[in-house]
Short mmCIF file of all heavy atoms in Angstrom, two decimals:
data_model
loop_
_atom_site.label_atom_id
_atom_site.label_comp_id
_atom_site.label_asym_id
_atom_site.label_seq_id
_atom_site.Cartn_x
_atom_site.Cartn_y
_atom_site.Cartn_z
N LEU A 63 -42.96 40.52 13.84
CA LEU A 63 -42.74 41.55 12.80
C LEU A 63 -43.87 42.49 12.65
O LEU A 63 -44.24 42.95 11.56
CB LEU A 63 -42.43 40.86 11.46
CG LEU A 63 -41.35 39.79 11.40
CD1 LEU A 63 -41.17 39.23 10.01
CD2 LEU A 63 -40.03 40.32 11.94
N PRO A 94 -45.50 30.17 5.15
CA PRO A 94 -44.08 30.03 5.23
C PRO A 94 -43.59 28.91 6.13
O PRO A 94 -42.43 28.49 6.05
CB PRO A 94 -43.61 31.38 5.76
CG PRO A 94 -44.79 31.85 6.62
CD PRO A 94 -46.02 31.38 5.90
N PHE A 95 -44.44 28.42 7.06
CA PHE A 95 -43.98 27.48 8.07
C PHE A 95 -45.05 26.49 8.49
O PHE A 95 -46.22 26.86 8.65
CB PHE A 95 -43.47 28.23 9.32
CG PHE A 95 -43.25 27.41 10.52
CD1 PHE A 95 -42.29 26.43 10.55
CD2 PHE A 95 -44.09 27.52 11.65
CE1 PHE A 95 -42.09 25.62 11.67
CE2 PHE A 95 -43.93 26.72 12.76
CZ PHE A 95 -42.92 25.76 12.78
N LEU A 118 -41.02 26.02 5.15
CA LEU A 118 -40.10 25.50 6.15
C LEU A 118 -40.92 24.52 7.05
O LEU A 118 -42.00 24.89 7.52
CB LEU A 118 -39.52 26.60 6.99
CG LEU A 118 -38.34 26.33 7.93
CD1 LEU A 118 -37.58 27.65 8.22
CD2 LEU A 118 -38.75 25.69 9.24
N ILE A 120 -40.79 22.00 10.44
CA ILE A 120 -40.18 21.47 11.66
C ILE A 120 -41.17 20.42 12.20
O ILE A 120 -42.26 20.74 12.58
CB ILE A 120 -39.88 22.53 12.69
CG1 ILE A 120 -38.97 23.61 12.13
CG2 ILE A 120 -39.23 21.90 13.92
CD1 ILE A 120 -38.65 24.73 13.15
N TRP A 135 -33.37 21.39 2.03
CA TRP A 135 -32.98 22.63 2.69
C TRP A 135 -33.97 23.00 3.78
O TRP A 135 -33.65 23.81 4.66
CB TRP A 135 -32.94 23.78 1.66
CG TRP A 135 -34.31 24.10 1.07
CD1 TRP A 135 -34.88 23.61 -0.07
CD2 TRP A 135 -35.31 25.01 1.62
NE1 TRP A 135 -36.14 24.11 -0.24
CE2 TRP A 135 -36.43 24.98 0.76
CE3 TRP A 135 -35.33 25.83 2.76
CZ2 TRP A 135 -37.59 25.73 0.99
CZ3 TRP A 135 -36.49 26.58 2.99
CH2 TRP A 135 -37.59 26.54 2.12
N VAL A 308 -38.85 27.90 18.13
CA VAL A 308 -37.65 27.99 17.33
C VAL A 308 -37.90 28.80 16.06
O VAL A 308 -37.13 29.72 15.72
CB VAL A 308 -37.21 26.52 16.90
CG1 VAL A 308 -36.10 26.60 15.83
CG2 VAL A 308 -36.69 25.78 18.10
N TRP A 309 -39.01 28.51 15.41
CA TRP A 309 -39.31 29.28 14.16
C TRP A 309 -39.50 30.74 14.45
O TRP A 309 -38.93 31.61 13.77
CB TRP A 309 -40.61 28.69 13.51
CG TRP A 309 -40.99 29.51 12.31
CD1 TRP A 309 -40.47 29.46 11.05
CD2 TRP A 309 -42.04 30.48 12.25
NE1 TRP A 309 -41.09 30.36 10.22
CE2 TRP A 309 -42.05 30.98 10.93
CE3 TRP A 309 -42.92 30.99 13.19
CZ2 TRP A 309 -42.95 32.01 10.54
CZ3 TRP A 309 -43.81 31.98 12.80
CH2 TRP A 309 -43.84 32.48 11.45
N SER A 310 -40.31 31.08 15.47
CA SER A 310 -40.62 32.51 15.74
C SER A 310 -39.37 33.29 16.19
O SER A 310 -39.18 34.42 15.75
CB SER A 310 -41.71 32.63 16.79
OG SER A 310 -41.32 32.03 18.05
N GLN A 311 -38.51 32.64 16.98
CA GLN A 311 -37.27 33.34 17.37
C GLN A 311 -36.34 33.54 16.20
O GLN A 311 -35.69 34.58 16.05
CB GLN A 311 -36.56 32.52 18.44
CG GLN A 311 -37.26 32.52 19.80
CD GLN A 311 -36.61 31.57 20.78
OE1 GLN A 311 -35.41 31.42 20.83
NE2 GLN A 311 -37.42 30.88 21.60
N ALA A 312 -36.33 32.59 15.29
CA ALA A 312 -35.48 32.70 14.07
C ALA A 312 -36.01 33.80 13.14
O ALA A 312 -35.26 34.49 12.50
CB ALA A 312 -35.36 31.37 13.36
N VAL A 313 -37.35 33.90 13.07
CA VAL A 313 -37.98 34.95 12.27
C VAL A 313 -37.58 36.33 12.80
O VAL A 313 -37.20 37.24 12.05
CB VAL A 313 -39.51 34.80 12.27
CG1 VAL A 313 -40.20 36.08 11.75
CG2 VAL A 313 -39.93 33.61 11.43
N LYS A 314 -37.60 36.47 14.11
CA LYS A 314 -37.21 37.74 14.71
C LYS A 314 -35.75 38.05 14.41
O LYS A 314 -35.41 39.23 14.07
CB LYS A 314 -37.42 37.70 16.26
CG LYS A 314 -38.88 37.73 16.64
CD LYS A 314 -39.01 37.66 18.17
CE LYS A 314 -40.48 37.63 18.59
NZ LYS A 314 -40.63 37.47 20.07
N LYS A 315 -34.90 37.05 14.48
CA LYS A 315 -33.46 37.23 14.26
C LYS A 315 -33.22 37.59 12.79
O LYS A 315 -32.39 38.45 12.45
CB LYS A 315 -32.67 36.04 14.66
CG LYS A 315 -31.17 36.28 14.62
CD LYS A 315 -30.44 35.21 15.44
CE LYS A 315 -28.97 35.57 15.55
NZ LYS A 315 -28.19 34.61 16.35
N ALA A 316 -33.90 36.91 11.90
CA ALA A 316 -33.73 37.11 10.44
C ALA A 316 -34.46 38.36 9.95
O ALA A 316 -34.08 38.92 8.92
CB ALA A 316 -34.24 35.91 9.67
N GLY A 317 -35.46 38.80 10.71
CA GLY A 317 -36.22 39.98 10.31
C GLY A 317 -37.13 39.75 9.12
O GLY A 317 -37.61 40.68 8.46
N THR A 318 -37.43 38.49 8.86
CA THR A 318 -38.30 38.12 7.76
C THR A 318 -38.86 36.70 7.98
O THR A 318 -38.33 35.94 8.79
CB THR A 318 -37.49 38.10 6.45
OG1 THR A 318 -38.34 37.68 5.38
CG2 THR A 318 -36.30 37.13 6.50
N THR A 319 -39.97 36.39 7.30
CA THR A 319 -40.51 35.05 7.35
C THR A 319 -40.04 34.25 6.15
O THR A 319 -40.49 33.08 5.96
CB THR A 319 -42.08 35.06 7.34
OG1 THR A 319 -42.54 35.74 6.19
CG2 THR A 319 -42.60 35.74 8.61
N ASP A 320 -39.19 34.81 5.30
CA ASP A 320 -38.67 34.07 4.13
C ASP A 320 -38.10 32.74 4.59
O ASP A 320 -37.15 32.69 5.40
CB ASP A 320 -37.58 34.88 3.43
CG ASP A 320 -37.01 34.16 2.24
OD1 ASP A 320 -37.53 34.28 1.13
OD2 ASP A 320 -36.03 33.38 2.46
N PRO A 321 -38.68 31.63 4.16
CA PRO A 321 -38.27 30.30 4.71
C PRO A 321 -36.81 29.96 4.64
O PRO A 321 -36.27 29.40 5.60
CB PRO A 321 -39.12 29.31 3.87
CG PRO A 321 -40.34 30.10 3.50
CD PRO A 321 -39.81 31.50 3.23
N LYS A 322 -36.16 30.27 3.53
CA LYS A 322 -34.76 29.92 3.39
C LYS A 322 -33.90 30.76 4.33
O LYS A 322 -32.93 30.25 4.92
CB LYS A 322 -34.32 30.05 1.92
CG LYS A 322 -34.94 29.00 1.03
CD LYS A 322 -34.48 29.04 -0.41
CE LYS A 322 -35.13 27.95 -1.21
NZ LYS A 322 -34.84 28.04 -2.66
N LYS A 323 -34.22 32.01 4.44
CA LYS A 323 -33.43 32.87 5.36
C LYS A 323 -33.66 32.46 6.84
O LYS A 323 -32.75 32.49 7.65
CB LYS A 323 -33.81 34.34 5.16
CG LYS A 323 -33.33 34.91 3.79
CD LYS A 323 -33.75 36.33 3.63
CE LYS A 323 -33.23 36.85 2.25
NZ LYS A 323 -33.68 38.25 2.03
N VAL A 324 -34.90 32.08 7.12
CA VAL A 324 -35.23 31.64 8.49
C VAL A 324 -34.51 30.34 8.80
O VAL A 324 -33.96 30.15 9.89
CB VAL A 324 -36.75 31.50 8.71
CG1 VAL A 324 -37.07 30.89 10.07
CG2 VAL A 324 -37.40 32.85 8.56
N MET A 325 -34.48 29.40 7.85
CA MET A 325 -33.76 28.13 8.07
C MET A 325 -32.29 28.38 8.27
O MET A 325 -31.65 27.70 9.12
CB MET A 325 -34.02 27.17 6.92
CG MET A 325 -33.37 25.84 7.13
SD MET A 325 -33.89 24.96 8.68
CE MET A 325 -35.35 24.09 8.04
N ASP A 326 -31.70 29.27 7.51
CA ASP A 326 -30.27 29.62 7.72
C ASP A 326 -30.06 30.09 9.12
O ASP A 326 -29.07 29.72 9.80
CB ASP A 326 -29.84 30.69 6.72
CG ASP A 326 -29.67 30.13 5.28
OD1 ASP A 326 -29.59 28.92 5.14
OD2 ASP A 326 -29.68 30.98 4.34
N ALA A 327 -30.96 30.92 9.64
CA ALA A 327 -30.89 31.45 11.00
C ALA A 327 -31.00 30.32 12.00
O ALA A 327 -30.26 30.28 13.02
CB ALA A 327 -31.93 32.51 11.23
N ILE A 328 -31.94 29.41 11.76
CA ILE A 328 -32.15 28.27 12.66
C ILE A 328 -30.89 27.47 12.86
O ILE A 328 -30.48 27.10 13.95
CB ILE A 328 -33.33 27.40 12.21
CG1 ILE A 328 -34.68 28.10 12.44
CG2 ILE A 328 -33.35 26.06 12.90
CD1 ILE A 328 -35.87 27.40 11.83
N LYS A 329 -30.27 27.13 11.72
CA LYS A 329 -29.09 26.25 11.78
C LYS A 329 -27.86 26.98 12.31
O LYS A 329 -26.87 26.35 12.74
CB LYS A 329 -28.80 25.68 10.40
CG LYS A 329 -29.89 24.68 9.97
CD LYS A 329 -29.63 24.13 8.59
CE LYS A 329 -30.69 23.09 8.22
NZ LYS A 329 -30.52 22.58 6.82
N ALA A 330 -27.88 28.28 12.32
CA ALA A 330 -26.75 29.06 12.80
C ALA A 330 -26.87 29.49 14.27
O ALA A 330 -25.91 29.93 14.87
CB ALA A 330 -26.53 30.32 11.91
N GLY A 331 -28.07 29.25 14.78
CA GLY A 331 -28.32 29.84 16.13
C GLY A 331 -28.51 28.79 17.27
O GLY A 331 -28.39 27.59 17.07
N TRP A 333 -31.41 28.19 20.46
CA TRP A 333 -32.75 28.64 20.75
C TRP A 333 -33.30 28.17 22.09
O TRP A 333 -33.19 27.00 22.40
CB TRP A 333 -33.67 28.19 19.61
CG TRP A 333 -33.09 28.48 18.24
CD1 TRP A 333 -32.47 27.57 17.42
CD2 TRP A 333 -32.97 29.75 17.63
NE1 TRP A 333 -31.95 28.21 16.33
CE2 TRP A 333 -32.26 29.52 16.43
CE3 TRP A 333 -33.36 31.02 17.99
CZ2 TRP A 333 -31.94 30.58 15.54
CZ3 TRP A 333 -33.05 32.08 17.10
CH2 TRP A 333 -32.37 31.85 15.89
#
Side-chain angles (χ1 to χ4, degrees):
L63 306 181
F95 166 67
L118 192 159
I120 301 179
W135 67 268
V308 170
W309 176 79
S310 61
Q311 290 173 37
V313 166
K314 288 179 183 177
K315 189 162 187 178
T318 177
T319 59
D320 179 90
K322 290 182 179 176
K323 291 179 180 177
V324 174
M325 182 58 88
D326 286 342
I328 286 173
K329 292 179 178 177
W333 313 102

